[in-house]
Structures are given as C-alpha cells and as structure tokens.
Amino acid sequence: MAQQDLLLGYDFGTSAVKVALFARDGAIVAAATQGYPLILPQRGWAEQVPQDWWAAMAAATRALVGAVPDAAGRIAAIGLSAQMGGVVPVDADGSALHNALIWLDTRSADIARELTGGMIRVAGYGPLKLARWLRLTGGAPSLSGKDAISKIVWLQRHRPDLWPRVHKLLDVKDYLLAHLTGRFVTSFDSAHLTWLFDARPGRKRWSPTLLKQIGLPAARLPDIAGACDVAGGLSDGAAAELGLRPGTPVTVGTGDVAAAAISAGNPEEGSLHLYLGTSLWLAARIARSRVDPGTSIGSLSFADGSDYLLIATQENAGASIRWAMALLGLAEDDFAGFEALARSHAPTADGPFFFPWLTGERVPVDDPRIRGAFANLGIESGRAAMAFAVYEGVALNLRWAMASFDKLSGRIGQTLRLLGGGARSTFWAQMFADVLGRAVETVETPDQCGTLGAAMTAGVAAGWYPGLADAAAMTRPARVFAPDPARAALYAARFGRYTGYYPRVKKWRPSQV
C-alpha cells in the first residue's frame, strides 16, 4: 500500500470548486478547478443546481488524481469548505428537491424583516426579538434575507408541494458530505449561521426556542459536529465516481469563512485576517462572542466549536473589479490589464470615488437596497482614474467597517494577514496597507486558502497534528507590505469624504430588491 503522505482539500465557491493535494508542510502538490453555473431567475434570486456541484467535484478530482502517481492511495484524509448561508432541501436519500437557494439570494428579505421586526424597531429589528437572538446566538439574522432562516420559511410558504417530502435542510457543504459519506451533518459555524442555533458557551446546539418560532422540527436539520471530526469514510459509490479510495476519512469540514481563518495560520486570540475574493470579509478569533447590531458585525462559533470568529462581511470586492473590467472595455478575465490601467494613475485628493455597493451592503450598513456609484467624475477622469477608484473604493469601504471592528476585536493597528484571489495583486495589497494605515502580510498561495483550511482539518483527523493550532505549520507566509506615510495621509483625508456619501444618497435606493 502506498504511503499516505497527502491531504485532499475542496473549496466550493459561488462559481467553481477548487481542489488541491497538499504535502505535510503545506506545499501544493497539484490543484484543479471546475466551474458550475449560477442561476439568476429574477431580481434578487440566486440559485444553483446541487448536482452541478457534484459533477464539478468529480471532474476536478479525476483530473487531479490523474496528474499525481498513485494519488488515490496516498490520500490520508479529505476535508471540505464551502460557501455558507445556502439551503438545499433533500429527501431521505439525500437527493435535492429544489435548486439550492445560495447566500446571494434575497427573495426572502420581506420574511427576514417579518421574523425580526416588531411594532417598534431599532436598526430595523424589534427590540424583544433582537434581545432573544442576541441572548441565544450572540447576533441576529440579516435583514437582507441572505441567511438560511428566512430561506427556510420561504420554502415552507411558497413550496408546500415539496415541503412534506423534505427530510433534511442542508447547507452546501452538508449536501456534499451526505453524498460522500451518507451522513447528514454540519459544522458549528454553518449551524450558527442559520440563526436557529444556541451559541452560548456550553450549549452550542439547535435551539428549541428559535426552532419553535418558525415551526421547524429539529429532526429536519443535520447533526452538528466539529470541523476535524470524521463525518464518515468515503462510500464505495462516491469513491468510484471521484476516482478515490473507498473508506478514506472525510472530515465534517468548515464554511468558507472558517476555512480562511484556519489557513491564515495565526490562531492566537485577536489575530486578524482579510479574505479578498468575489466578496470580502474581515475576521478575528475571539474567546467570547461579541456583536454590534448597528453595523452587522457579529460572531460565529468557530468550526471546531472551541471559540468564536468576529466577522465583518462586505458584498463586493473582486466582483467590483470584474464588473468594472466589462464597463471599461477590457476582455473577460483580463485582470492583469485592468491592474496595469489602474497602476498608470496616481492617487489625488480630488480624484473620482467608487462605492462598491453593486448588490447592496452588509457592513458597515446592512442595506440590501443601496447601490454603487462612481462620484466626483470630471471631464479629465479617464479609464485609468476609474480603474484606480475601484481598487481604492473597496479599500475605503473596508476602512469604514474596520473602525467598528477594531473596537470589538481589541486589536487596533495589528498586522492584517491577506488571503483570497485578490491577495495575489501586490498593487492592491499595498493599497490596503496605505488606506488602512497598518501592515498587510500575504501568504504563498492566497487563492487556495479554502482548500488549505479544509486540508488542515483533514490533517488533524489523520493524526498528523494534535489540533488546528498545530496545523498552522502548513501556512507559508510570503511578504509584508508597510503603509506609505504620504499615501496614508492622503487616504485618511479622502476617507472622510467617502463616508459622507451614503447618508446623502440612501434616499435614492430602489423601493425593492
């Protein structure tokens, strides 16, 4: 039998699955990517076909193991990470009864406001309901309808034809685990994000109080287990489709946010990281749950159930770049050309502003109806100035969120570890350092943080590491970017003007999303 010297990690994003094989030191042995469609049936709706995830997983895995000698026999364990906040209703066999309503879907926004509202509202929430959620979960569902709780109620109300056949309601990763192992199980972080979870220390289970509120039996939800726990061995059928060894241990794994936190390799309390992908999120490990309902910054249980992640999520980062590329006439996926265009522009005090609220925003304002804009354009403002403004606008938007985040995390000015595909841009990394006024550190393979975090849970399950803190040895830091004092001063001045835009234009929001 071959020596089991590899770990296999999967990362299911909004547009594709990434899969990678890792050696013990965190080096990537081989990697593959396979895309799948995003379905947008109407405004505010966002769906995916669960079988498309599985087909992409099989194609990417077969390509990967075909490129590495005896890969199937060398894999010690498998880990998964995936997009969070989705709902897949399945029957007793694990077959999907409806397309997945993914995190981007806001069709249930009215339901979210109904579930959280009251006669009197504070920041959009009924005080009594908000107090209950804060006490039980340390947070509250988003008013945007992007969380699972309102999606579940939408299915109850609008698909009564399928509701009696629903055996379990699963997130993306949970659906895939069921197909890999035959078990219906989720991780602590994914359970928490449903807002049907009692997140208090010593509890961390489905909440009877919150389940009763929407009339949902706990039996329709999966088991809850730690990220490094083994969900089961790879079934014979799944192994045959993927080209892997039957019985290979599969961990419960994590949502994408926790996977990034694990792969950041800085497990100390309060350590910061920023994931920069299609969207972005800022996160820090904390021992006690903290929340700021006014800004939608909150905490999730960490995927292994040990502590919490403080998280601030913003909707559009790389998505803004991709949108602007088309707007400015660049070829699809010509990220290098777009960055070169932006690099040719020097920042000025009176240059254009870009506000990246193309699909609404979560932090620092939870407003699904606000929309993005270019502002302060002049006759002299060309493509280069607009491209530069897009990078700058995402960074300024993060600085706005970080003011509140730093107070909650207690780590003002700490070095920020940068992850995600956007972290490959040294131009953007330096801009974040300048705009935020703090050092930014990158890692060797920032666009594989999801697969690495998943593989690190597999490394613990395989016995390679005693725990996730020890698995941090697989993270490989690359470069530190220090803020330029002159540019930091320029951005500080522009930041004051940036934050003044929202209160002046929020009345222009569309009446519905």
Side-chain angles (χ1 to χ4, degrees):
M1 182 176 177
Q3 179 186 2
Q4 293 178 358
D5 58 348
L6 298 175
L7 299 171
L8 179 60
Y10 292 93
D11 178 26
F12 286 83
T14 307
S15 59
V17 58
K18 295 178 181 178
V19 55
L21 285 169
F22 292 90
R24 187 182 292 264
D25 64 355
I28 293 179
V29 176
T33 301
Q34 184 71 37
Y36 35 73
L38 173 62
I39 303 168
L40 303 171
Q42 56 182 283
R43 185 174 180 140
W45 292 33
E47 302 179 357
Q48 287 182 318
V49 178
Q51 186 58 31
D52 288 344
W53 302 328
W54 183 256
M57 185 181 199
T61 305
R62 287 189 168 279
L64 191 71
V65 298
V68 178
D70 198 22
R74 294 169 60 188
I75 296 169
I78 299 168
L80 275 70
S81 75
Q83 53 173 299
M84 301 171 69
V87 175
V88 186
V90 302
D91 62 19
D93 295 326
S95 298
L97 300 172
H98 190 280
N99 283 352
L101 309 187
I102 69 165
W103 67 274
L104 193 58
D105 193 290
T106 59
R107 74 184 68 185
S108 61
D110 288 346
I111 293 173
R113 290 190 285 271
E114 172 193 326
L115 293 175
T116 58
M119 293 288 292
I120 300 171
R121 297 189 180 225
V122 177
Y125 294 89
L128 293 178
K129 291 181 177 179
L130 178 60
R132 180 191 301 142
W133 257 301
L134 290 174
R135 178 174 62 85
L136 295 174
T137 71
S142 167
L143 301 178
S144 68
K146 291 187 175 181
D147 292 328
I149 183 172
S150 57
K151 294 183 174 82
I152 290 170
V153 175
W154 186 92
L155 287 167
Q156 286 175 314
R157 293 182 183 178
H158 295 277
R159 292 305 310 268
D161 56 318
L162 66 81
W163 191 252
R165 294 184 286 141
V166 174
H167 179 64
K168 296 290 182 181
L169 295 155
L170 305 176
D171 205 341
V172 175
K173 173 176 59 64
D174 314 336
Y175 169 85
L176 293 160
L177 284 173
H179 278 254
L180 291 168
T181 69
R183 183 181 174 193
F184 298 114
V185 62
T186 192
S187 49
F188 286 95
D189 55 332
S190 292
H192 195 159
L193 195 60
T194 65
W195 303 109
L196 296 168
F197 177 79
D198 188 336
R200 290 174 291 179
R203 309 288 180 94
K204 297 205 173 181
R205 57 180 181 254
W206 298 120
S207 167
T209 300
L210 298 174
L211 290 171
K212 183 179 179 181
Q213 181 175 323
I214 64 168
L216 183 69
R220 287 197 169 182
L221 296 172
D223 298 335
I224 303 172
C228 301
D229 292 342
V230 175
L234 191 64
S235 71
D236 290 348
E241 289 192 60
L242 300 176
L244 299 176
R245 174 174 55 88
T248 305
V250 182
T251 63
V252 172
T254 78
D256 50 7
V257 175
I262 294 167
S263 72
N266 51 355
E268 301 80 11
E269 182 181 350
S271 296
L272 298 174
H273 71 269
L274 171 66
Y275 178 87
L276 187 57
T278 300
S279 60
L280 68 77
W281 62 77
L282 182 66
R285 292 280 292 270
I286 54 175
R288 296 178 56 194
S289 177
R290 296 173 188 150
V291 63
D292 179 359
T295 61
S296 294
I297 298 173
S299 305
L300 280 183
S301 293
F302 199 56
D304 63 0
S306 60
D307 49 20
Y308 300 86
L309 271 179
L310 184 68
I311 304 166
T313 300
Q314 295 185 336
E315 298 288 21
N316 294 285
S320 296
I321 301 294
R322 188 177 291 278
W323 171 83
M325 284 166 52
L327 180 74
L328 299 179
L330 278 79
E332 184 177 1
D333 294 332
D334 186 11
F335 293 99
F338 187 81
E339 182 173 314
L341 189 63
R343 282 178 179 273
S344 69
H345 177 78
T348 61
D350 293 321
F353 286 96
F354 174 73
F355 301 90
W357 311 320
L358 301 174
T359 55
E361 191 52 279
R362 287 201 183 193
V363 178
V365 289
D366 189 3
D367 189 344
R369 292 187 294 150
I370 191 65
R371 288 296 177 263
F374 281 105
N376 206 43
L377 291 172
I379 194 70
E380 73 286 353
S381 302
R383 294 165 71 242
M386 295 174 73
F388 186 94
V390 175
Y391 285 104
E392 182 198 62
V394 173
L396 288 170
N397 206 48
L398 178 66
R399 176 168 172 162
W400 191 7
M402 189 165 254
S404 298
F405 190 92
D406 278 343
K407 293 176 184 177
L408 290 173
S409 69
R411 292 299 183 97
I412 296 173
Q414 187 191 52
T415 296
L416 183 66
R417 188 159 281 184
L418 190 59
L419 310 167
R424 286 197 171 277
S425 168
T426 58
F427 171 72
W428 215 358
Q430 183 62 57
M431 182 177 286
F432 274 106
D434 296 339
V435 170
L436 301 176
R438 68 179 70 200
V440 169
E441 183 179 26
T442 58
V443 295
E444 276 192 12
T445 53
D447 53 343
Q448 291 289 350
C449 61
T451 56
L452 176 58
M456 289 161 81
T457 71
V460 175
W464 289 15
Y465 306 100
L468 287 173
D470 308 281
M474 293 179 69
T475 301
R476 301 155 69 96
R479 179 178 171 185
V480 176
F481 297 81
D484 176 270
R487 291 201 172 190
L490 171 65
Y491 289 128
R494 285 179 60 77
F495 176 68
R497 297 172 62 191
Y498 182 95
T499 56
Y501 181 82
Y502 174 76
R504 288 174 171 82
V505 303
K506 63 180 181 179
K507 62 184 178 183
W508 297 350
R509 297 174 299 183
S511 59
Q512 60 183 357
V513 294

